[in-house]
Amino acid sequence: MQFRVLGTVAAVTDHGDPLPLGPAKRHSLLAVLLLHPDTAVTVDRLTGALWEEEPPRHSRTVLQGHVSRLRALFTEYGAAAQGIELVTQGPAYVLRLPGAVVDAHRFEELLGAARSLREPGEAVSVLRDALALWRGPALAGTVRSPLLENAAHALEELRLAAVEELAAAHERLGEHGAAAAVLRAEAAANPLREPLIAGLMLALGRAGRQSDALDWFHRTRRLLADQLGVGPGAVLTDAYTALLRADAAEASVPSAPVVAGAVAGAGAPPVAAPGAAVTPDPPAGPAPALAAAQLLPRRPRGFTGRERELAALDRATAGAPGPIAMITGSAGVGKTALSLHWAHLRHADFPDGRLFVDLRGYSPAPARDTAAVLREFLLALGVPAEGMPGTPESLGARYRELTGRRRMLVVLDNARDSAQVRPLLPGGEDCVTLITSRDRLGGLVASDAARPVPLAALPAAQSTALLAAVLGPDLVAAEPEAAVRLAELCDGLPLALRVAAARLATGPHRGLAAFAGELSDEHTRLDLLRVEDTGVAAALGLTVRQLPEPARRMFHRLGPHTGATLDTCTAAALADCTPAQAAAALDQLAAAQLVVEAGPHAYVLHDLVRLYARSLTPGCDRDGLLRLLDHRLHTLLAASAAAEPGGEPCCALPPGARPAVGIRTFDDRAGALAWYSAERDALRGAVEAAAAAGLHDRAWRLVLLQWPLIVWQVRDGWVPLLERGLASAELDGDPGGQSRARALLGWVLSEEGRPAEALVQLERAPELAALAGDTAGEAIARINLAVALTRSGAAERDGARERDGALDRDGAGEQDGARERARDLLVRALALAERAGHTETVTLAHQHLAHHLLADGSPAEAAAHAARGLALAPRLAAPRRVALRTLYGQALAATGRTGEAVRQLGDALREARAHAYEEGEKAARSALAALGVLTDR
């Protein structure tokens, strides 16, 4: 696992796949912890970073929720095996991890190493590696709080220092043009940074471009006057003076011709000026007149970002003789644009020319014939038409012979497979081959040591920069949030972003927010992302047509899927095949870049790809949706059994449910809860899809079977989902489902501090359960109603005292009545649960009776109920045991049995810590403190 703060804050797998971190506040929490590794960061400091203004009253709860989700995510992706863990340390959190997994740490190490090097060539290499770690503005995607903004500014200053040092290293090597190229982009982005401009001016001057250098001075001088009302500082004026005093005699000396061997050392390749012929070591026979071949299309307009990939191409094409680099990625991700941009950036490295061909491996037109491509290349290399070899074999031999003497670039765009590429590989060790393909071309890696450069979707910052490049920066700056939303809806695909920009630029006048609103409709998104003959669907269609039959069949079945992640078992259910067959088909889809491998048997399916798969099935694929929903229900039952061992299912499968063809297993509660959290959005989508299709018997079950996560993260916005589940249970006419939904909804409302709304739901739940003959459900409904009545009464009592200082007799009587009714409800619930034989519900009833009796001044009875619950608790999840043990300790203390109480509370504290159960740990520690027992934090 790796962490990134030099760009959008992210956690990624070792394969480079991003982990689903969630909202900006969770990104911000992770960022602060990463900026202070192995250091206790207090809750107050974290709160200050997560909220720009005064934090809300429940900020601590929100923060704890984000910490819990990060921990679940780390558990899911095996972070502990790499020495990564997020621990609580008193009123603070510590992220323990090796420094090497954070890009900022690696950047600072490389920068320090470069500064210690005396050889400028080595410094250039190390500094390039350091700067390649940057993927955009530091700490992007976080909250704009002063703490994070200051940290981002400090990191940016370090980056600019590295850029200036890289340019200086190039200067020491005499590579003045390279130094100017390094500084130019930064000077454009930081037009008032005078040392940077001065360095650029001097580099341009030494490269013989005095006019450009002086132009930068005058431009900067005007900006300083207009924006700051000041003149140039000493560093800028000194550079200007040095340019004016440049030695005229040096400028008047004509350049000497470059002769092969005059510069290069023994055995080194000859050096030539761009476009000039290179005289090789004594040729075997008469050499033909060599032309500088130029078939490269124009530089792509509006290209932005991709610094990391450009650096990866530099590395992939360096060192080895005759290097081959492959840019691989999905349709529309910008492979051709990247290859052309890099080829134009590196034009000086290929003085003997640059060849280019679109092989049309994924195109409506037939793929290019190899012999025709070779003839085109030979013509560009100066072979006359009348002297063209006659057979494909002789064409290839002649091509390899000519390229064997040259230093040139060959770009093979849009390749279908390795076999299409091999005959077009040049013959010389000084030639570089750059290939783009939607396929991984693993055969070429094996046979020719080709180096892959994977190309993923653009991150948010680069996506909005692309929109600004096409639409103009003012439009994007006016609606920054809409621009980010637009980028998300386009999945960061450059093709989709350019089509969206074209629609905005050429269509009726509308803003980014309005167009993003239109794109939010999944039914019309693909249509909106098409202009004339260019569009996302068309590009994806070309890929799908080239798929092997099993993969194509699988892709056509993915439409009903409702989430971004996909495992082999879910795919098997969708395609109605075995998991092994699904795994093979998914591997083929991954090779074609239609899905992205995220781990063992796990894949990511981007929205635009999913919508295209859905568009291939006219109407609603009801059978596919049913298979998906029933598979989800089977998986939810397995997850709830692992999350709450010893518990009883809250509902059975609906009549006619499909049998499971393969269900993932869950090792323990932590694994199940991590899966629940990761799949929350997909499950919500499944509920919506079921309700929209009228499959209400599936919809309400999909909601209720999420109860382990709902209970664990109760204050996390569950009300709308539970209301949707209740509506489906009512439409299904199932009183048991309605009772369970009302009981769970009422409990959540009560936890959210909405007692009146909670009681509306909870009062009806017991009678509905009784009507359904659901004894355990009636017990749960009575428990939840009792808890809500107790809380409501306590809230009213506290409110009355706050207003009037005391309760009147009628008010006190009402409160006594509510407490008595709550006790009766709990006693009845315990009897019902015992009659039904539901251990988990029996334990729950004992727990709430113990709590009620303890609050009501009956500690001995409370202790008895807590002890009976604990006798059953070994079969249950740790949070239940912690709660019962804490109550038992408090009840024992209230009866004067202090020694036993301390032992029970100590056990509760240790178990809560062992299971990272923060609320339980806090309750046990508070109870011990009340007994005068201090605990380490």
Side-chain angles (χ1 to χ4, degrees):
M1 185 180 294
Q2 301 287 322
F3 295 93
R4 299 172 179 170
V5 296
L6 305 181
T8 300
V9 173
V12 299
T13 67
D14 291 336
H15 299 293
D17 301 316
L19 275 61
L21 285 180
K25 281 189 170 51
R26 202 166 306 139
H27 283 76
S28 305
L29 167 67
L30 178 60
V32 177
L33 295 171
L34 289 172
L35 291 170
H36 303 86
D38 300 315
T39 303
V41 184
T42 65
V43 169
D44 290 341
R45 186 170 177 82
L46 289 169
T47 302
L50 266 61
W51 278 273
E52 303 168 55
E53 300 174 351
E54 185 70 21
R57 183 168 52 85
H58 62 283
S59 61
R60 187 176 293 265
T61 302
V62 174
L63 179 60
Q64 288 174 347
H66 288 308
V67 170
S68 297
R69 290 198 184 179
L70 276 182
R71 282 176 172 155
L73 198 63
F74 288 174
T75 301
E76 181 182 2
Y77 286 88
Q82 301 179 51
I84 301 167
E85 59 177 344
L86 176 52
V87 299
T88 304
Q89 189 170 308
Y93 295 102
V94 181
L95 181 57
R96 296 172 181 160
L97 76 175
V101 302
V102 185
D103 59 0
H105 178 86
R106 297 198 303 278
F107 171 75
E108 293 188 30
E109 279 193 337
L110 288 170
L111 183 56
R115 287 170 173 170
S116 67
L117 293 172
R118 294 185 178 180
E119 171 56 46
E122 294 177 359
V124 165
S125 177
V126 173
L127 286 166
R128 282 194 177 277
D129 287 344
L131 290 167
L133 294 170
W134 284 77
R135 299 168 179 84
L139 306 180
T142 59
V143 174
R144 292 173 60 105
S145 63
L147 187 151
L148 288 169
E149 287 187 335
N150 290 339
H153 178 73
L155 287 169
E156 175 64 10
E157 285 297 314
L158 269 183
R159 188 188 71 82
L160 288 173
V163 169
E164 291 168 348
E165 292 181 34
L166 174 59
H170 277 300
E171 291 276 10
R172 293 199 301 276
L173 288 169
E175 298 170 351
H176 308 304
V182 166
L183 294 171
R184 179 182 290 276
E186 299 301 335
N190 299 272
L192 298 179
R193 191 180 178 96
E194 293 184 56
L196 195 66
I197 308 298
L200 174 59
M201 289 166 55
L202 292 172
L204 288 169
R206 291 166 187 147
R209 299 167 60 187
Q210 280 83 357
S211 176
D212 287 347
L214 294 172
D215 181 62
W216 272 99
F217 173 81
H218 293 300
R219 184 189 315 176
T220 308
R221 178 178 54 78
R222 287 193 298 271
L223 276 174
L224 288 167
D226 292 343
Q227 296 190 20
L228 302 180
V230 298
V235 67
L236 206 58
T237 54
D238 287 349
Y240 180 66
T241 303
L243 285 168
L244 294 178
R245 292 176 179 173
D247 188 357
E250 182 182 355
S252 67
V253 176
S255 299
V258 179
V259 180
V263 177
V271 179
V278 175
T279 304
D281 289 332
L290 300 179
Q294 295 296 344
L295 296 181
L296 202 65
R298 65 172 174 82
R299 184 193 295 263
R301 306 290 173 83
F303 186 90
T304 186
R306 299 299 195 192
E307 290 84 3
R308 178 190 177 196
E309 290 82 0
L310 289 167
L313 282 174
D314 287 341
R315 292 192 295 272
T317 56
I324 303 170
M326 304 186 314
I327 303 174
T328 62
S330 63
V333 79
K335 300 180 294 296
T336 301
L338 175 65
S339 68
L340 291 175
H341 184 76
W342 183 85
H344 281 280
L345 283 177
R346 299 289 176 263
H347 74 279
D349 296 339
F350 308 107
D352 297 323
R354 296 167 293 175
L355 300 175
F356 176 92
V357 63
D358 178 2
L359 294 175
R360 298 202 294 250
Y362 297 87
S363 173
R368 291 295 303 274
D369 175 69
T370 300
V373 174
L374 287 169
R375 280 193 289 271
E376 188 177 308
F377 281 0
L378 290 175
L379 285 170
L381 289 166
V383 176
E386 59 272 19
M388 197 68 63
T391 66
E393 292 76 16
S394 57
L395 285 166
R398 184 67 164 149
Y399 167 65
R400 287 187 292 278
E401 176 193 1
L402 292 179
T403 53
R405 311 181 200 175
R406 298 193 170 199
R407 208 167 103 213
M408 62 189 308
L409 172 67
V410 179
V411 181
L412 305 176
D413 186 44
N414 199 11
R416 183 181 63 250
D417 52 36
S418 300
Q420 190 185 25
V421 166
R422 288 194 185 97
L424 302 174
L425 296 176
E429 292 188 353
D430 292 331
C431 289
V432 171
T433 306
L434 184 55
I435 302 162
T436 76
S437 180
R438 300 182 191 183
D439 191 270
R440 293 172 176 168
L441 302 183
L444 207 62
V445 176
S447 65
D448 293 88
R451 300 179 183 180
V453 178
L455 194 61
L458 285 171
Q462 294 186 14
S463 296
T464 53
L466 176 56
L467 289 172
V470 179
L471 294 171
D474 292 344
L475 186 60
V476 172
E479 298 182 83
E481 293 181 0
V484 171
R485 177 60 178 151
L486 199 59
E488 291 174 350
L489 292 168
C490 290
D491 278 344
L493 280 181
L495 173 63
L497 289 162
R498 288 181 179 276
V499 171
R503 276 197 170 270
L504 282 163
T506 61
H509 179 71
R510 52 186 165 182
L512 271 64
F515 188 55
E518 294 177 42
L519 281 181
S520 297
D521 185 350
E522 290 191 347
H523 297 92
T524 59
R525 191 179 305 167
L526 286 176
D527 290 334
L528 290 170
L529 293 177
R530 183 181 68 237
V531 287
E532 296 183 354
D533 60 347
T534 301
V536 175
L540 291 171
L542 295 172
T543 305
V544 172
R545 281 202 287 274
Q546 298 288 346
L547 290 172
E549 179 54 32
R552 185 162 57 249
R553 186 168 56 250
M554 169 64 76
F555 188 81
H556 278 256
R557 297 289 184 89
L558 294 180
H561 188 55
T562 56
T565 57
L566 178 68
D567 59 44
T568 51
C569 291
T570 304
L574 283 162
D576 198 16
C577 64
T578 67
Q581 291 170 327
L586 286 170
D587 282 344
Q588 292 172 331
L589 291 177
Q593 311 287 344
L594 287 168
V595 298
V596 179
E597 288 180 273
H601 311 298
Y603 301 83
V604 172
L605 182 67
H606 292 301
D607 278 351
L608 292 177
V609 176
R610 177 177 56 82
L611 294 178
Y612 178 66
R614 183 179 297 173
S615 73
L616 299 177
T617 305
C620 173
D621 180 5
R622 191 177 180 84
D623 287 341
L625 179 59
L626 274 168
R627 288 194 302 270
L628 172 69
L629 298 177
D630 291 347
H631 169 77
R632 288 291 194 188
L633 291 173
H634 282 290
T635 310
L636 282 164
L637 284 168
S640 61
E644 296 292 337
E648 300 293 336
C650 64
C651 61
L653 292 168
R658 274 78 169 160
V661 295
I663 299 298
R664 67 174 295 159
T665 57
F666 301 94
D667 295 333
D668 51 24
R669 172 182 172 81
L673 288 174
W675 177 84
Y676 270 117
S677 294
E679 293 293 312
R680 180 173 175 180
D681 287 343
L683 291 169
R684 184 179 66 244
V687 172
E688 292 169 354
L695 299 171
H696 296 291
D697 56 343
R698 268 77 173 172
W700 65 261
R701 288 175 169 89
L702 287 167
V703 173
L704 292 184
L705 284 170
Q706 297 180 56
W707 72 270
L709 183 65
I710 296 173
V711 169
W712 189 245
Q713 298 177 357
V714 63
R715 301 176 189 89
D716 202 17
W718 293 102
V719 169
L721 181 70
L722 289 167
E723 289 175 339
R724 173 69 272 176
L726 174 58
S728 285
E730 290 174 337
L731 289 167
D732 189 37
D734 190 301
Q738 294 173 49
S739 170
R740 295 273 185 165
R742 287 184 183 277
L744 191 52
L745 173 58
W747 185 69
V748 169
L749 288 166
S750 177
E751 289 289 322
E752 288 189 356
R754 299 157 67 178
E757 296 172 73
L759 289 172
V760 169
Q761 302 297 336
L762 292 169
E763 290 285 6
R764 292 199 56 195
E767 65 185 70
L768 286 164
L771 180 63
D774 181 3
T775 306
E778 183 181 352
I780 291 171
R782 287 177 177 274
I783 291 170
N784 288 356
L785 177 56
V787 172
L789 283 168
T790 301
R791 288 179 175 175
S792 177
E796 289 180 14
R797 183 169 61 252
D798 292 344
R801 284 175 175 156
E802 196 171 306
R803 290 190 306 271
D804 306 324
L807 283 173
D808 60 26
R809 185 174 301 171
D810 291 341
E814 289 177 9
Q815 298 304 323
D816 291 341
R819 288 199 301 275
E820 191 62 34
R821 186 187 174 203
R823 180 172 180 169
D824 291 344
L825 285 164
L826 291 170
V827 171
R828 175 63 177 158
L830 176 59
L832 288 167
E834 289 176 334
R835 190 173 77 196
H838 284 202
T839 303
E840 200 275 340
T841 310
V842 171
T843 310
L844 185 67
H846 279 307
Q847 176 185 332
H848 284 288
L849 267 169
H851 187 276
H852 182 89
L853 290 164
L854 188 59
D856 220 26
S858 303
E861 291 182 73
H865 278 288
R868 288 168 64 189
L870 275 173
L872 300 171
R875 296 171 52 191
L876 302 178
R880 183 79 67 220
R881 290 195 301 273
V882 170
L884 281 164
R885 203 173 296 282
T886 301
L887 283 168
Y888 190 30
Q890 290 173 311
L892 289 171
T895 61
R897 297 157 66 183
T898 307
E900 292 179 66
V902 170
R903 283 194 295 275
Q904 291 293 335
L905 292 169
D907 288 345
L909 179 60
R910 283 186 287 275
E911 186 166 13
R913 283 175 172 170
H915 290 84
Y917 179 31
E918 294 183 8
E919 290 188 17
E921 181 182 346
K922 181 179 178 181
R925 186 184 292 116
S926 176
L928 282 166
L931 296 176
V933 178
L934 298 179
T935 59
D936 65 296
R937 291 179 174 268

